[in-house]
Amino acid sequence: MGGFSDPTVSRRAMLGLGLGAAAAGVAGCSRFGGGGSTSADGSTTLNMIWWGDSERAKSTEAMLDVFKKKNSGINIKTEYQDSGPYKDKMATRFASGDVPDLCNQRRDSIREYADRSALLDLNQHLDVLNTKDIPDSVRKIGQVQDSMYGIPAGLNAVGFVINKELAEKYGVEIPDGNTWSWDDLWSFSRKITKASGKKVYGTDVDFATIQNLVVFVRQTGEELYNEDGTFGASEKTLTDWFSMSVSERKTGGLSPAGFLDASGSSADQDGLTKKVLASQIIPTNNLKAESESVGTELQLNRIPGETQGARRGMSIDTSMYWSIAAKSKHVDDSLKLLDFIVNDVEGNRAVGPTRGVPMSSKVADAIYPDLGPEDKASIDYIKGLSKETLPESRPDPVGGSAVQDACTSIATEVMFGRMKPADAAKKLISKANEALGKK
């Protein structure tokens, strides 16, 4: 079997192979047994993997220290890395049968793993996993028909952060963050760019990120993914989306192609931190890390266009899921750990809302008084949204990760002027229909 570096083996094919390898492991192949191990003294070592940076790793380890104090005999071997290579790492692990016990899952791929029976249906283990303090609307975020293959690791939404210090320095008024339009954003951005002599660009919008596109598409009244799993965005809407990438680079609303280094996605690598950008979209659970990296106050606005569109585009989502591998050898202990992550106040106080607002409302209320101003701001933002009528959030359909890959490639071509917006729209629809099995 070729490794992941073998270009002849697609990620989807590897996932399929992974199930076969995992089955072989259960049949007796100790090398690919999956998950952690059991020692001669009866203690268990779980393997837990997630994505994030070193700061998230520190807080996660602090949470796990609390767990280990309360659960002697269960050790935890942890692994983490940046979000980009994490997807490939997961594919490789499942392909080789070396499955983790507990892992983060992405919303664009959880359906693919679930549909291949690679994940445990948590609904069958609610005698161990207590979900009574998780609102039904939150549980649905991880629901696939009648099954639940992931618990939201934390609630978040997309938000637009603005460096107030830079706005004041260049004398540009920040628009009302609750009611601003896309035109307001571009006007604000161009003024910053002009006032700074192009040393600082007013904003950046990542046209390749599906979650940004989802909001824009919803605002037109359409859905990126229909409830039946088909692709719902029209050619006109996608053309309008990619057209902004072209037109605003000409006017200074966006930086020139290649100006921003796209090699990393953590807070300490982006344009805000380098202070070559005055604003950008972030997931709200990153507000504290982003503020600390920038070193000044960031104003958290909603996404533009929420009051001018045909309907609301934003929704309350999850940054990631916690899932248990169906082939884990330590299902009971993995469930015990997952229940701790969901319900233990002391553990959640140790980790904080690095992955978003705790899914248990009881836990979220308990830790709130101990949080810093940025974490309180992100939680207040989510609480404010929760009182409004927003579109329902659900996992992306099978093929969602391939749609994300196609959007990344196409948006890059548009940014560098190698593809026109109308052609990009047609190509994304074609690629999406192919990925979703609707040729």
Side-chain angles (χ1 to χ4, degrees):
M1 184 176 69
F4 188 76
S5 60
D6 182 347
T8 64
V9 182
S10 70
R11 184 177 297 116
R12 178 174 292 188
M14 288 185 69
L15 184 57
L17 289 169
L19 295 175
V26 171
C29 177
S30 60
R31 181 180 178 190
F32 296 142
S37 60
T38 302
S39 300
D41 63 2
S43 64
T44 299
T45 298
L46 300 179
N47 181 212
M48 174 181 176
I49 67 174
W50 72 85
W51 76 78
D53 57 17
S54 59
E55 289 301 314
R56 177 174 291 168
K58 287 179 187 175
S59 60
T60 302
E61 293 294 349
M63 174 185 71
L64 296 178
D65 286 344
V66 177
F67 174 81
K68 286 182 280 190
K69 284 180 183 176
K70 296 183 177 183
N71 295 274
S72 60
I74 302 179
N75 303 307
I76 304 168
K77 177 188 174 186
T78 58
E79 300 170 52
Y80 74 94
Q81 62 186 115
D82 197 24
S83 59
Y86 182 83
K87 184 163 67 173
D88 293 342
K89 179 188 182 80
M90 284 284 289
T92 303
R93 291 287 300 268
F94 276 82
S96 68
D98 183 21
V99 298
D101 295 297
L102 187 68
C103 59
N104 276 163
Q105 278 285 346
R106 296 162 54 104
R107 64 171 293 140
D108 64 3
S109 56
I110 189 170
R111 286 287 304 265
E112 296 173 12
Y113 283 80
D115 283 10
R116 288 165 175 78
S117 302
L119 303 178
L120 196 69
D121 178 5
L122 300 175
N123 272 345
Q124 303 303 313
H125 302 276
L126 298 183
D127 55 329
V128 179
L129 179 60
N130 179 4
T131 60
K132 68 181 178 63
D133 293 318
I134 301 178
D136 287 343
S137 59
V138 174
R139 288 187 53 177
K140 286 180 180 177
I141 297 175
Q143 201 81 13
V144 178
Q145 297 176 337
D146 294 329
S147 299
M148 180 168 60
Y149 294 104
I151 285 271
L155 302 179
N156 73 349
V158 288
F160 224 108
V161 290
I162 296 178
N163 184 329
K164 294 176 65 176
E165 188 176 89
L166 285 178
E168 291 174 6
K169 177 179 179 179
Y170 295 115
V172 180
E173 183 178 355
I174 299 175
D176 185 324
N178 289 324
T179 61
W180 65 336
S181 66
W182 286 96
D183 286 343
D184 292 333
L185 166 66
W186 300 127
S187 175
F188 165 81
S189 183
R190 290 180 209 124
K191 289 176 183 175
I192 292 279
T193 304
K194 183 178 180 181
S196 70
K198 297 186 179 180
K199 292 179 181 175
V200 177
Y201 283 84
T203 197
D204 179 57
V205 173
D206 186 351
F207 292 89
T209 297
I210 285 292
Q211 290 314 304
N212 299 343
L213 177 57
V214 163
V215 174
F216 182 80
V217 170
R218 284 176 179 158
Q219 288 177 349
T220 69
E222 302 172 357
E223 286 279 3
L224 189 71
Y225 299 120
N226 297 316
E227 199 162 354
D228 64 0
T230 57
F231 194 70
S234 69
E235 194 172 313
K236 178 186 182 308
T237 294
L238 295 175
T239 300
D240 290 345
W241 175 248
F242 290 120
S243 292
M244 290 195 296
S245 172
V246 175
S247 62
E248 294 306 325
R249 291 186 205 286
K250 293 177 180 175
T251 64
L254 291 166
S255 62
F259 178 80
L260 298 171
D261 181 5
S263 61
S265 58
S266 60
D268 62 355
Q269 297 171 313
D270 63 27
L272 271 182
T273 298
K274 296 173 182 173
K275 298 194 176 177
V276 295
L277 284 179
S279 66
Q280 70 177 27
I281 297 175
I282 65 165
T284 53
N285 57 299
N286 283 358
L287 180 60
K288 180 182 178 183
E290 201 72 56
S291 297
E292 290 177 347
S293 293
V294 176
T296 187
E297 183 180 359
L298 299 177
Q299 178 172 313
L300 181 58
N301 284 6
R302 299 185 181 201
I303 301 299
E306 284 290 280
T307 59
Q308 295 82 23
R311 63 169 179 143
R312 299 293 302 275
M314 297 178 64
S315 60
I316 297 176
D317 296 301
T318 183
S319 56
M320 59 194 77
Y321 298 92
W322 285 119
S323 297
I324 295 175
K327 300 300 182 183
S328 166
K329 287 184 175 179
H330 307 292
V331 168
D332 289 345
D333 287 339
S334 298
L335 285 165
K336 187 180 291 186
L337 175 56
L338 184 55
D339 180 71
F340 168 87
I341 291 172
V342 172
N343 294 302
D344 192 274
V345 171
E346 187 181 357
N348 275 277
R349 191 170 281 131
V351 71
T354 179
R355 294 179 175 86
V357 180
M359 42 284 193
S360 163
S361 53
K362 182 179 176 181
V363 170
D365 290 342
I367 70 169
Y368 182 85
D370 302 323
L371 300 176
E374 293 86 4
D375 283 337
K376 283 183 177 177
S378 65
I379 288 181
D380 290 342
Y381 184 84
I382 296 297
K383 282 185 174 179
L385 288 174
S386 71
K387 297 173 184 174
E388 301 169 12
T389 302
L390 302 175
E392 179 182 309
S393 177
R394 51 181 178 262
D396 293 351
V398 174
S401 61
V403 176
Q404 173 63 80
D405 291 344
C407 191
T408 298
S409 172
I410 291 168
T412 301
E413 294 299 296
V414 172
M415 179 171 66
F416 282 95
R418 297 190 290 258
M419 187 179 292
K420 294 180 179 178
D423 294 334
K426 290 176 183 174
K427 186 163 185 178
L428 182 55
I429 290 172
S430 173
K431 288 289 186 182
N433 287 336
E434 181 181 339
L436 301 175
K438 311 292 180 184
K439 294 181 181 178

